[in-house]
Amino acid sequence: MSSGSNGSIPIRPSAMSRRIVRSERTTRRFYEGCGKVHAPVSMLFPPIDPNERFLARRAAARRRKRLRRGAAVGAVLVGVALLGAGAQFVGSGHPVVAENAQVVVASSSGPRALPVEIRGVHVSMGLASLPGKLDEYLDLERDGLTALELDVKDENGQIGFASRDIPLASKVGAVRDFYTPRAVAGLARERDVYLIGRVVVFEDPILSRARPDLAIRRSDRSVWRDSAGLGWTNPYDRRVWDYNVDVAVAAARAGFDEIMFDYVRFPSDGDVQSAVYGNRGALTKREAVPAFLRYAAGRLERYDVRMSAAVFGLSATRDLGIGQLPRHMAPHVDALYAMTYPSLFGPGELGIADPSQAPGETVSRALRRFSSTLRGSDVLVVPWVQDFTFTTPFEIEQVRAQIDAARRAGAKGFMLWNAEGVYTDGALAAP
């Protein structure tokens, strides 16, 4: 793999990556408006075997499902028995015999084991489509890479591959031919790299434009858009849930090891007060996101795939009004990926005058907040590490400071984020 003069993988910025950088600016403005918080409480994350955790969580879910099915089958058998008794009483005297019903539960060997430490990078679907580029990222395994996060559905609403499991995607024009998912999964397994599929959920310019009935609207029935001019789908609408989980199922069936739901929240910028939501039912914002995750977990439990969600770094400090409450999300996922980018915290946040100038301390305090709010939960917490320059130059010293802080906090690992896919040499080294 070739390296640039700054010791990073050189990749030309795309229009999509430039838009993501603009989104990072928007996130920064949102963070700056959130005010200060109190001093954190220190607590290490519990040293629980994540593979045993996954199997235990899935076994419990399947027990609940078997009990529900058993109750339903029992009710049917009772009904059949009663009908048989009645038929025997009024008929020819021949009893009606019902066959024993059986509930078949698919057996599975479980998911691939998690790496001892997750050391991963984000890869966009556009980059993955370039000849030989995915191999270059997988080559980072020599430098310490153990996991790779690949976009399955991105911020533009694009889906990286065609699948018969997602008919609506073709109808609305979301399908792209960026990569073949089974081939990618096979390649990752050959290299012993854990593969995470990122599914951006509610920010979806394509679906909201093609299906306004599924979008967040304005009072005049037009599609609501955020400060970047992007449409969002309605987090309350079960048809939106189905669409995104269909995408996740397609990736799971192709062999991805984990599905990470991102933008699993309500909009945070733009004229959010003018947003109109249909099909709300009885759900509140605080309930909608956990309800979606519970629904997704139910549909994905039959596959050997873990499930996770990305959350704002500030979501552990207080309710941000976007439906992201880690404590309520944790029961439905195996991991939460916290976006603890120091440059996106405003001055004074977490009790730090300028978080971008103190990357290690910022990540340390943010993770302590997650540890505190998730006390008693067995969910894993993995921070997203800032490997890009926003207002303050971030080089290996700043990147390593965040990673060291994550390790001291007892996190399961870390993921490097750079919208352009350019990662700093040395950042992925093992401890």
Side-chain angles (χ1 to χ4, degrees), residues 62-95:
R62 286 180 170 172
R63 282 196 298 272
R64 290 193 296 271
K65 182 171 288 187
R66 285 197 298 270
L67 287 173
R68 289 195 297 270
R69 287 176 176 172
V73 169
V76 171
L77 291 177
V78 168
V80 170
L82 291 174
L83 287 173
Q88 182 175 359
F89 179 77
V90 300
S92 61
H94 298 291

Side-chain angles (χ1 to χ4, degrees), residues 142-156:
R142 295 194 296 256
D143 301 322
L145 180 84
T146 63
L148 186 145
E149 177 266 283
L150 175 62
D151 281 351
V152 171
K153 176 173 177 271
D154 67 9
E155 294 88 344
N156 296 317

